[in-house]
Amino acid sequence: MGNAADAGDASLLRIETRGAVLTVGLNRPAKRNALNDGIILALRDCFSAIPDTIGAVVIHGVGDHFSSGLDLSELTERDATEGLVHSQMWHRVFDRIQYCRVPVIAALKGAVIGGGLELACAAHIRVAEPSAYFALPEGQRGIFVGGGGSVRLPRLIGVPRMADMMLTGRVYSATEGAAYGFSQYLTEADGALPKALELAERVAANAPLTNFAVLQALPMIAEANPQTGLLMESLMATVAQSDKEAKKRIRAFLDRKTAKVKPT
Ligand SMILES: COc1cc(/C=C/C(=O)SCCNC(=O)CCNC(=O)[C@H](O)C(C)(C)COP(=O)(O)OP(=O)(O)OC[C@H]2O[C@@H](n3cnc4c(N)ncnc43)[C@H](O)[C@@H]2OP(=O)(O)O)ccc1O
């Protein structure tokens, strides 16, 4: 089993830079992008070294699927102690994605299954195209989610819906995923990656401090008791508006040098 000291297999990710956007493609299409140790550790390496010039990351699947989840061929020999270590390794890697300095957008198509769905949960925005389907077949495989899914997914779709997914193993459609709050965007056919790239360019243009506040402070504020949350909000708002970047951007609007807010 891969451990913290191992390097990931860089060939299992297709990493490209497009301006301020880094695209990270899960690159095991012959295995439907099943997540083995090599790819998980490669994700760890990638998200540990996001260049300063990058303002957003898009994660997607090479081929027809996002990911078929945990590589089941690596599970069969694992005992309980190794299973615990393995699950905690996934947690650390997916935390690195969730607590990334810049927004992470997942472009979803085809299978988004088990650990693949857990990976998508760690992103900040999920964009799905009609071919995307979501399932947690852990019950059929006799296992439980191990990549943080029981923490992140109920916060998106609720415990009853996740319980239904796990108990019945039912495949949820892209339309259901959007209706239940999993994906924020549902595109036309083949539209997930282009839409994710468009959104990534947009969020990369934000003030870094605003993105930082949304990624790091908002989830904590939302879960805090109201008094603590309001205090944290005031502190974050004060820090952000005191920054020279905010002053520059507000001046540009007042001088009519930047666009008005308008429907897209
Ligand atoms: C317990 O501690 C954990 C757990 C976890 C996370 C758990 C999970 O992710 S559970 C979910 C596991 N995934 C599945 O059960 C999906 C299995 N795959 C499929 O149902 C299908 O392959 C498909 C995704 C629907 C695609 O179908 P199709 O296009 O027809 O392709 P196939 O012919 O079936 O597959 C092609 C090729 O890929 C291999 N493969 C596909 N999925 C996996 C997989 N998940 N693991 C290993 N291999 C896979 C398949 O065997 C074929 O291989 P060939 O060599 O025969 O070509 C997390 C952390 C914990 O600690």
Side-chain angles (χ1 to χ4, degrees):
M1 179 177 51
N3 62 55
D6 291 339
D9 182 345
S11 72
L12 297 178
L13 295 181
R14 183 186 291 172
I15 299 178
E16 291 164 336
T17 305
R18 306 177 192 211
V21 177
L22 192 74
T23 63
V24 179
L26 306 172
N27 190 22
R28 263 191 112 197
K31 297 288 182 187
R32 308 304 183 254
N33 296 324
L35 301 171
N36 61 2
D37 285 351
I39 205 165
I40 291 289
L41 292 174
L43 283 170
R44 176 203 61 187
D45 298 344
C46 171
F47 279 90
S48 305
I50 302 291
D52 291 347
T53 49
I54 293 300
V57 177
V58 170
I59 184 160
H60 65 102
V62 174
D64 295 333
H65 302 274
F66 180 69
S67 171
S68 63
L70 173 73
D71 188 320
L72 294 168
S73 67
E74 290 188 352
L75 190 68
T76 47
E77 301 303 317
R78 217 169 266 151
D79 66 18
T81 307
E82 290 168 335
L84 185 63
V85 170
H86 178 263
S87 171
Q88 293 191 327
M89 175 182 79
W90 277 49
H91 290 169
R92 282 193 294 277
V93 175
F94 289 5
D95 273 0
R96 231 168 253 212
I97 296 172
Q98 179 175 347
Y99 298 109
C100 184
R101 177 182 61 77
V102 298
V104 180
I105 302 175
L108 305 175
K109 64 181 163 190
V112 185
I113 295 180
L117 191 148
E118 296 184 272
L119 169 58
C121 284
H124 306 106
I125 298 178
R126 282 159 292 281
V127 182
E129 60 189 55
S131 71
Y133 56 94
F134 311 107
L136 292 173
E138 279 82 348
Q140 289 143 275
R141 309 282 178 249
I143 56 177
F144 189 63
V145 286
S150 57
V151 171
R152 293 192 180 96
L153 189 58
R155 285 173 162 77
L156 299 174
I157 66 171
V159 170
R161 199 85 66 187
M162 179 168 175
D164 177 58
M165 289 184 83
M166 289 211 69
L167 294 172
T168 67
R170 183 166 80 78
V171 172
Y172 279 56
S173 67
T175 313
E176 287 176 295
Y180 301 149
F182 178 70
S183 317
Q184 292 98 321
Y185 293 86
L186 178 58
T187 71
E188 74 284 6
D190 300 323
L193 186 55
K195 182 68 182 178
L197 290 169
E198 176 202 317
L199 293 170
E201 277 175 29
R202 196 169 164 152
V203 300
N206 288 341
L209 206 49
T210 306
N211 284 349
F212 172 85
V214 173
L215 303 187
Q216 314 287 330
L218 175 61
M220 284 189 209
I221 293 171
E223 302 240 335
N225 73 55
Q227 272 185 314
T228 309
L230 290 175
L231 176 62
M232 288 169 74
E233 180 189 87
S234 294
L235 293 173
M236 198 64 245
T238 308
V239 171
Q241 75 198 26
S242 310
D243 194 60
K244 63 178 183 311
E245 181 68 25
K247 295 192 189 311
K248 189 178 85 185
R249 286 168 180 250
I250 291 165
R251 186 75 264 154
F253 174 74
L254 295 174
D255 293 345
R256 290 289 183 261
K257 287 183 183 145
T258 47
K260 294 183 191 184
V261 175
K262 54 180 187 303
T264 47

